[in-house]
């Protein structure tokens, strides 16, 4: 609150409403005004000071709140001021006797469009709230100020009228020179949208201007179409032919639709069900003579009146007028009923008015359930009762009810209720709020929504200590694997801890291997790999352990070589290392690796001959071929020679190739005829096909024929 | 109830709408950040984005410069940066680094991250941890589907495969279910849903849940049937070498989002040429599903026809010539261009494939498939490894061996692995660990004969899970049973007759008549039987999780299926499918009068699958 209010005590406050908000205007002892335009967001505005107020005093004031603007009108002596957020203007009231020395009372209308002033001479001035236009004046000649003065108008009415109240008199003043006076005692007046509520110690009355429609219908000897229709219906009930006359009179003027409309409208203004019925029956009667009159208005009016009559019943006690009801809307009415805990009535109304479920029945049931959870009954009973009533009604969120139960300090009940919630996604946030992480995790996993699982995992990560967190994850593999994914990108170290905690030696070892080749330094790498070896052995993965050990050996060897030769060896596989050694002619080192790592002969031979061929060291290759019997055969020799475009050398080895592969060997060196001869001789279909596929236009015709002949022979076989 | 979209086998829904919707949404999101901006795109999204909204469309909507999102400082001077990424932690971290370094240098910019197709909670968590949560705004681009062709729709999520099948991470599963829901809200619900695999089941359940929650207004039309297929039900098929033209192109050149880049070696010019491969390309459309051996014959025939068409010019008078130029010539020229491209691509393939002794490789593969002469195959693989022919190829053969033989005997398992490590480096112990977990390369357990007992255990585990997810990757009971399946479903055609590749009798033609793809055979059988009746044994061998349900949210009696609409089949591959499989299904469709629409998390092949599991440094 502002400093003004803390320094000076408040002398008076006025609350004002508009369609969207409620505000307060405050007056302090120092005659300063402050305004809170909306109590929802509690911003306080200091209004400018009014000059001379301290000396001349303040006789009366009121708030005008229109279109987001809030102004104060105040009277001090014979002056009237209008005060808004940044200025204070003195105003002269048009058309008022200049003799007036002070204003005793002022009052704004319900919609703040009009203002009434009560002067010390007993004159009531009525005008617009901007004080620019006078609507009427009435001199009541009382000098005593009235206890209350309020406006009595209905929307769109042109008749200004003000109700004033003294100790035992109620006076209605309007434009005319005469007033209506009622003797009364002990009352309070409440201005409303379309009239004034008069609340006494034993009674509750509503004073309002007679609506034009009602006046037209019920005025004595009225010839308005509505009145005639009503009369026609009365005669009809009496089975009199006059009914026809009246009806014809309306119909001849083409006024029957208007008549029906009037009756329907008038029914809405009537308070007594009997009168309503009478009017509606007349409307219905008239309607039956119309061919294309939309029944909607009639039906709606019947329905809504039924609702209004129900809430006007003394057991409910909401004497709303039809106009007020329309202004409030059904939603608000239902909300009010809900606040009064009149759940059954509210539900019946929703059903009767066919309101969509989520705004109607479900909405009421939800409030009922939220109330129910506050009752002192056993949790089970409440949960059961709620589920019984709500079932699977669409648009009901059990999680909202559960949230309420939790707010009321009943977590157990909340959990029970959450179980009814069909959407796991809705359960999880509340469970987290209730610090039921484990349960939330279960539900999230059940939902299959990874996002939800992540939400819970992240929550648990912050809530729990690490050990418990890991233990929890361990019980939920889905969550665990998701968390691992996260850690792989965000927290490498956590990942290690996680594996450690789980005794997952295999993964831990894999982790170290991965780490190792992100390292540049060989020593660090070896250390990481050594850890991996340990873990692999713990995981009983001897194969991987051995492979890793060999890698360490290789790394050390490569490192040594690198130091000696200043060439990069690290990062190469064993195969590549040996190959480059052979290419460089470091046969000694290659041999050493061959022995140390027990490289299979086949591989070593391939390595050697490929390297020699690449180096074009044909002499050495030939020597090597003769060193002992080749474990990879001699076709390989042919292949490597051909690969390096040396058919001459290749031919040297063709004769050594085993018979089954000879055809291929010949083909490789381009000796189609020899290949053909062997193929024909061997009568092998595949070989023959192979040779045939190499034949082209330049090949000898007779050769092709021979091959084809041999093939058909082989086929028959 | 009105059936406004009556669909029969010759008519398919218009999937191009998917593209338009995605494009509109992206534009909308870009306009949410008014003014000039630089757009950073994650590498994964570049090709798909190009198919949806090309550079000129982006420029129209005030995108100034396009960058590839990388782990490096940005040099952009624009004061608005927009990032288009998959919800990857890595990418989010890079963005955080960019924002933080701007903070240090005192640069003030606006940042917007567009997550595609959705945002994950972790991404926000990372933004928060990096302290930039308040500095960026986030949005989601619900781009789920990229229609690659009239009958192929890709989710372009290659990481689905590793994330789910290896890491057990289900993040993409719910995204897929959501995508499915979206798809069916556009094109109508399927009449019946079949499926096999754990992931398929989860996806189906989630999708059902989305329908029940019913946020989106569903079209009440019923459209065709749906088959959901887990990639891990059949690993053999994608690991085989592809010999159908489109598959071969993918293996050799790597097709990216339906287009291929032919390098200068192929085109015999200085620049690479990007070719869009779909049914719009008339030449390609006729050969894409053909066995490679038929392709040359076809192409040369086509060339002759083209020549005749050109030759018509001779002896034309002026008027006819004018007509010819205005109407036919353009088409012919276009065809000519495409024809020459395909011819040079085929020549290139021929050259490469013979060099590597492709025939030998295929022979080895085929003997693995029919289990003939296993020892010989093993020594072939060994030589393959020793000679360092290809890191991925060797791995592929190893996996095929393990899958077809139900695991390797201990001795071979060790020796082949250590040979491999010697050739390609120790880091591949990690790769092997992955392959083992996936059941792709495993050791035969002693006492393997207790299959009956083990399968009951497997069943118990499956029953307990009842669709809901528990441990997504129980390495238990991950056995391929390939041999038994192959016998049961007669996947290997009898070899004593010559297989006619010109007018093939069955789907085996996609593997030169050596093997009918298990995945496609399963689909064929289930459709024929309208469910799994009589396939119980097969399903058991595939680790169960099969299902067949009459879907339809509105009750069974309400919508009588039109007979022709049930000929429309949507097949969803979770974890990717190969072009060969698509060709096989197209063949099946022609044979049995179905129209197949393939929806896949990504187009895959053996190299992509294995590379995604490769943890060694290559």
């Amino acid at each position: 609150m502002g400093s003004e209010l803390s320094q000076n005590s408040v002398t008076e406050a006025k609350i004002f409403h508009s369609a969207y908000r409620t505000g307060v205007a405050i007056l302090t002892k120092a005659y300063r005004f402050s305004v809170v335009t909306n109590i929802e967001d509690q911003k306080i505005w200091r209004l400018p000071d009014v000059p001379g107020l301290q000396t001349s005093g303040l006789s009366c004031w009121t708030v005008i709140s229109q279109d987001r603007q809030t102004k104060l009108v105040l009277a001090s002596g014979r002056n009237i001021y209008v005060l808004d957020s940044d200025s204070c203007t003195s105003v002269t009231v048009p058309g008022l006797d200049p003799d007036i020395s002070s204003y005793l009372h002022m009052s704004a209308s319900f919609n703040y469009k009009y203002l009434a002033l009560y002067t010390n001479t007993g004159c009531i001035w009525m005008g617009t709230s901007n004080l620019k236009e006078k609507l009427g004046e009435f001199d009541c000649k009382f000098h005593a100020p009235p206890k209350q003065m309020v406006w009595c108008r209905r929307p769109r009415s042109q008749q200004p009228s003000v109700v004033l109240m003294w100790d035992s008199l109620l006076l209605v003043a309007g434009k005319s020179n005469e007033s209506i006076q009622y003797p009364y005692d002990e009352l309070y007046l409440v201005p409303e949208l379309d009239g004034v509520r008069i609340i006494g110690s034993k009674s509750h009355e509503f004073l309002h201007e007679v609506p034009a429609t009602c006046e037209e219908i019920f005025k004595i000897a009225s010839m308005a179409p509505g009145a005639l229709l009503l009369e026609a219906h009365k005669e009809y009930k009496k089975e009199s032919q006059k009914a026809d006359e009246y009806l014809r009179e309306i119909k001849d003027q083409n006024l029957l639709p208007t008549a029906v409309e009037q009756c329907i409208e008038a029914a809405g203004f009537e308070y007594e069900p009997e009168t309503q019925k009478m009017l509606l029956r007349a409307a219905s009667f008239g309607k039956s003579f119309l061919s294309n009159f939309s029944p909607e208005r009639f039906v709606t009016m019947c329905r809504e009146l039924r609702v209004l009559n129900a809430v006007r019943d003394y057991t409910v006690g909401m004497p709303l007028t039809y106009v007020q009801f329309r202004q409030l809307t059904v939603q608000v009415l239902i909300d009010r009923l809900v606040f009064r805990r009149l759940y059954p009535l509210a539900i019946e109304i929703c059903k009767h008015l066919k309101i969509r479920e989520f705004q109607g029945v479900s909405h009421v049931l939800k409030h009922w359930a939220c109330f129910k959870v506050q009752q002192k009954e056993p949790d089970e009973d409440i949960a059961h009762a709620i589920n019984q009533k709500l079932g699977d009604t669409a648009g009901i969120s059990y999680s909202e009810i559960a949230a309420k139960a939790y707010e009321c300090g009943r977590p157990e009940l909340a959990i029970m209720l959450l179980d009814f919630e069909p959407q796991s996604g809705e359960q999880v946030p509340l469970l987290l709020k209730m610090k039921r992480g484990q349960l939330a995790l279960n539900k999230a996993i059940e939902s299959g929504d990874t996002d939800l699982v992540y939400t819970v995992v992240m929550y648990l990560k912050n809530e729990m200590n690490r050990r418990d967190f890991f233990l929890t994850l361990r019980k939920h593999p889905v969550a665990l694997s998701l968390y691992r994914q996260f850690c792989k990108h965000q927290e490498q170290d956590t990942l290690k801890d996680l594996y450690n905690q789980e005794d997952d030696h295999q993964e831990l070892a894999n982790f170290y291997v991965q780490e190792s080749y992100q390292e540049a330094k060989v020593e660090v790498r070896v250390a990481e790999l050594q850890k991996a070896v340990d873990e692999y052995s713990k995981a009983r993965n001897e194969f991987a352990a051995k492979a890793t050990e060999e890698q360490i050996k290789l790394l050390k060897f490569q490192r040594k070589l690198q130091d000696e030769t200043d060439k990069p060896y690290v990062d190469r596989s064993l195969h590549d290392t040996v190959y480059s050694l052979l290419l460089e002619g470091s046969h000694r080192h290659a041999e050493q690796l061959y022995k140390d790592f027990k490289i299979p002969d086949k591989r070593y031979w391939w390595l050697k001959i490929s390297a020699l061929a690449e180096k074009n060291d044909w002499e050495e290759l030939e020597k090597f071929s003769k060193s002992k019997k080749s474990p990879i055969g001699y076709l390989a020799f042919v292949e490597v020679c051909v690969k390096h475009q040396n058919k001459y050398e290749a031919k040297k080895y063709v004769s050594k190739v085993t018979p089954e592969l000879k055809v291929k060997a010949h083909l490789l060196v381009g000796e189609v005829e020899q290949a053909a001869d062997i193929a024909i001789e061997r009568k092998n279909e595949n070989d023959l096909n192979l040779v045939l596929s190499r034949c082209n236009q330049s090949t000898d015709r007779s050769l092709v024929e021979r091959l084809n002949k041999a093939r058909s022979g082989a086929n028959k076989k | 109830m009105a059936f406004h979209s009556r669909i029969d086998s010759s008519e398919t829904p218009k999937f191009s709408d998917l593209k338009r919707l995605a494009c509109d949404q992206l534009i909308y999101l870009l306009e949410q950040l008014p003014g000039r901006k630089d757009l950073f795109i994650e590498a994964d999204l570049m090709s798909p984005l190009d198919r949806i909204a090309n550079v000129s469309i982006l420029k129209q909507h005030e995108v100034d410069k396009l960058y590839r999102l990388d782990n490096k400082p940005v040099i952009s001077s624009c004061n608005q940066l927009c990032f288009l990424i998959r919800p990857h932690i890595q990418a989010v971290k890079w963005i955080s680094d960019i924002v933080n370094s701007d903070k240090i240098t005192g640069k003030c910019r606006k940042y917007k991250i567009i997550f595609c197709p959705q945002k994950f909670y972790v991404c926000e968590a990372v933004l928060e941890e990096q302290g930039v949560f308040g500095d960026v705004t986030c949005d989601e681009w619900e781009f789920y589907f990229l229609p690659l062709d009239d009958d192929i729709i890709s989710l372009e999520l290659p990481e689905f495969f590793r994330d789910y099948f290896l890491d057990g991470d289900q993040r993409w599963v719910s995204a897929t279910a959501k995508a499915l829901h979206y798809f069916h809200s556009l094109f109508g619900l399927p009449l019946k849903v079949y499926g096999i695999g754990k992931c398929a089941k989860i996806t189906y359940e989630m999708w059902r849940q989305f329908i029940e929650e019913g946020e989106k207004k569903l079209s009440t039309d019923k459209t065709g049937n749906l088959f959901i297929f887990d990639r891990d039900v059949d690993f053999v098929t994608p690991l085989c070498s592809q010999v159908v033209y489109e598959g071969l192109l993918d293996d050799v050149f790597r097709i990216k989002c339906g287009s291929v880049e032919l390098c200068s070696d192929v085109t015999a010019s200085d620049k690479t040429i990007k070719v869009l491969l779909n049914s719009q390309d008339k030449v390609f459309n006729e050969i894409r599903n053909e066995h490679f051996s038929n392709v040359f014959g076809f192409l040369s025939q086509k060339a002759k026809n083209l020549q005749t068409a050109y030759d018509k010019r001779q002896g034309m008078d002026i008027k006819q010539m004018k007509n010819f130029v205005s109407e036919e010539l353009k088409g012919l020229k276009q065809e000519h261009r495409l024809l020459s491209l395909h011819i040079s691509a085929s020549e290139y393939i021929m050259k490469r494939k013979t060099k590597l002794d492709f025939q030998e490789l295929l022979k080895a593969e085929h003997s693995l498939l029919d289990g003939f002469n296993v020892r010989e195959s093993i020594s072939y693989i060994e030589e393959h490894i020793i000679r360092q022919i290809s890191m991925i190829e060797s791995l592929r053969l190893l996996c095929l061996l393990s899958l077809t033989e139900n695991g390797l005997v201990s001795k071979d398992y060790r020796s082949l692995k250590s040979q491999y490590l010697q050739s390609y480096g120790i880091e591949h112990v990690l790769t092997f660990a992955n392959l083992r977990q996936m059941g792709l390369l495993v050791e035969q357990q002693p006492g393997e004969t207790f299959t009956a007992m083990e399968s009951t255990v497997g069943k118990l585990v499956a029953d307990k899970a009842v669709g809901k997810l528990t441990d997504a990757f129980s390495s238990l009971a991950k056995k391929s049973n390939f041999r038994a399946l192959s016998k049961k479903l007669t996947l290997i055609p009898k070899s004593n007759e010559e297989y006619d590749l010109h007018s093939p009798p069955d789907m085996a033609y996609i593997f030169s008549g050596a093997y009918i793809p298990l995945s496609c055979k399963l689909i064929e059988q289930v459709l024929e039987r309208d469910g799994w009746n009589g396939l119980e044994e097969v399903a058991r061998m595939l680790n169960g999780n099969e299902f067949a349900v009459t879907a339809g949210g509105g009750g069974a009696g309400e919508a009588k299926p039109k007979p022709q609409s049930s000929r429309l089949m949507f097949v969803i591959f979770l974890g990717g499918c190969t072009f060969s499989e698509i060709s096989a299904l197209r063949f099946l469709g022609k044979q049995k009068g179905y129209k197949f629409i393939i929806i896949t998390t990504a187009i895959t092949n053996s190299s992509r699958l294995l590379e995604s599991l490769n943890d060694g440094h290559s």
Side-chain angles (χ1 to χ4, degrees), chain A residues 448 451 517 573 576 603 664, chain B residues 121 206 360 388 419 423 615:
Chain A
D451 241 26
Y517 56 74
S573 69
D576 294 344
R603 182 189 293 275
K664 245 188 186 169
Chain B
Y121 176 78
M206 281 190 182
E360 296 256 316
Q388 274 190 328
Q419 292 283 14
S423 280
D615 271 345

Side-chain angles (χ1 to χ4, degrees), chain B residues 458-507:
Chain B
K459 220 174 184 178
L460 270 176
V461 172
D463 282 348
K464 220 168 142 195
V466 215
K468 287 283 178 195
L469 35 144
T470 46
D471 188 357
F473 52 104
S474 52
S475 54
L476 164 80
K478 252 201 186 157
K479 291 189 8 202
S480 67
N481 291 317
F482 180 75
R483 201 68 64 214
L485 280 168
S486 144
K487 204 178 265 171
K488 197 97 194 162
L489 293 168
T490 51
L491 296 179
I492 312 291
K494 288 191 191 78
S495 58
N496 44 18
E497 298 143 40
E498 184 89 347
Y499 195 90
D500 184 2
L501 286 172
H502 282 275
S503 48
D506 53 34
M507 292 185 280

Side-chain angles (χ1 to χ4, degrees), chain B residues 50 98 106 123 186 279 345 466 569 573:
Chain B
D50 192 44
I98 292 173
C123 300
L186 288 176
S279 51
V466 215
M569 274 300 306
F573 285 92

Side-chain angles (χ1 to χ4, degrees), chain B residues 251-304:
Chain B
D251 275 0
V252 176
F253 301 107
R254 299 237 166 175
I255 299 177
K256 243 192 206 165
C257 286
S259 72
V260 72
E261 268 184 41
L262 298 177
C263 52
S264 47
D265 293 2
V266 185
T267 55
S269 62
D270 320 333
K271 52 177 189 223
T272 59
I273 298 180
K274 207 168 172 185
V275 193
L276 208 56
L277 296 172
N278 57 30
S279 51
Q280 305 298 312
D281 176 344
K282 293 223 174 57
V283 180
F284 177 66
N285 197 30
E286 282 182 75
I287 50 172
R288 69 197 303 189
N289 300 318
E290 289 293 321
H291 187 270
F292 190 64
S293 62
N294 296 341
V295 169
F296 259 117
F298 176 87
L299 288 176
S300 64
Q301 184 58 44
K302 195 87 193 168
K304 271 181 210 147

Side-chain angles (χ1 to χ4, degrees), chain A residues 63 421 430 469 476 478 541 560 610 715:
Chain A
V63 186
E421 174 66 56
L430 181 63
F469 176 54
H476 303 280
V478 172
N541 189 343
K560 210 177 84 199
S610 307
N715 261 345

